[in-house]
Amino acid sequence: KPAKQPLVHQTLADAYHLEELLGEDIGFRRVGSLRVAQASDRIVELDRMAKAAEQTGVRFAWLTPQAAGSRVPWLATDETSRYGYFQDDAFADPYRLAMAYAKAAQAGGVSLKPRTSVFGIEIEQGRAVAVTTSEGRIASGSVVNAAGAWANALVSPVDQPLAFTPVRSHYWLVPPTAGYPPD
């Protein structure tokens, strides 16, 4: 039985399709990410991520401490830590990406209402049918909850929890220089 297509593949395909559709750079950069695990529970977690990557075709490689150090020269490496490299990880400029989705949606006939506060979602027979906003009630055949970290707060009154939790992460983005490989 083939593994399910992971979200990362769909996200990459969608970002490139969006750039092609609009004919503009949306600030999407495929740069890879280095994951460092030092504590035993984090090493177990990274092992699980590596197995999931292998099963779903996500490009992943274990790095030696020396290889990790050559990618990130300021990183203090040691033999007890594990280093995993996800080659296809990417980042996007959030504003440019949101505006690109908005342009593509408008081109597809979607009506946008910027600067309109959403106070609630109306549910009938398990389906979202309308939103209550600062401009009044807006009925719709579908509702896209794009409230980001506040998405669960928006749907909790209608008992439709989402399967995610916002978490705090740390990323270092550096320009290409002689001290860092281009990928």
Side-chain angles (χ1 to χ4, degrees):
K1 179 176 169 181
K4 273 197 326 192
Q5 184 80 337
L7 185 57
V8 67
H9 291 310
Q10 187 64 50
T11 301
L12 292 170
D14 288 350
Y16 293 127
H17 176 71
L18 196 53
E19 285 186 328
E20 184 179 302
L21 179 73
L22 298 174
E24 63 186 66
D25 178 8
I26 63 170
F28 185 78
R29 301 290 179 265
R30 183 189 247 170
V31 295
S33 71
L34 176 67
R35 308 289 174 103
V36 179
Q38 293 177 313
S40 59
D41 58 334
R42 297 287 78 97
I43 290 172
V44 169
E45 181 182 351
L46 187 55
D47 283 339
R48 280 192 205 119
M49 292 171 77
K51 285 184 182 95
E54 181 182 336
Q55 292 170 351
T56 57
V58 172
R59 295 188 314 156
F60 173 85
W62 288 110
L63 300 181
T64 65
Q66 296 76 19
S70 71
R71 288 193 168 278
V72 185
W74 49 262
L75 182 65
T77 60
D78 62 63
E79 295 296 327
T80 61
S81 298
R82 298 289 307 268
Y83 306 91
Y85 182 61
F86 287 85
Q87 299 167 32
D88 294 322
D89 276 1
F91 71 92
D93 177 299
Y95 178 79
R96 288 169 69 184
L97 181 61
M99 291 301 98
Y101 275 119
K103 283 181 189 176
Q106 285 178 310
V110 171
S111 172
L112 301 178
K113 299 219 177 259
R115 295 181 239 353
T116 302
S117 298
V118 176
F119 304 119
I121 299 175
E122 255 182 64
I123 304 291
E124 287 180 10
Q125 297 176 345
R127 283 186 54 95
V129 296
V131 291
T132 307
T133 76
S134 56
E135 293 189 7
R137 180 182 186 272
I138 300 173
S140 178
S142 62
V143 173
V144 176
N145 182 344
W150 300 273
N152 266 322
L154 184 62
V155 295
S156 65
V158 292
D159 198 30
Q160 298 289 321
L162 302 173
F164 83 95
T165 300
V167 295
R168 184 180 176 125
S169 299
H170 296 281
Y171 300 91
W172 288 274
L173 304 176
V174 295
T177 64
Y180 295 95
D183 62 349

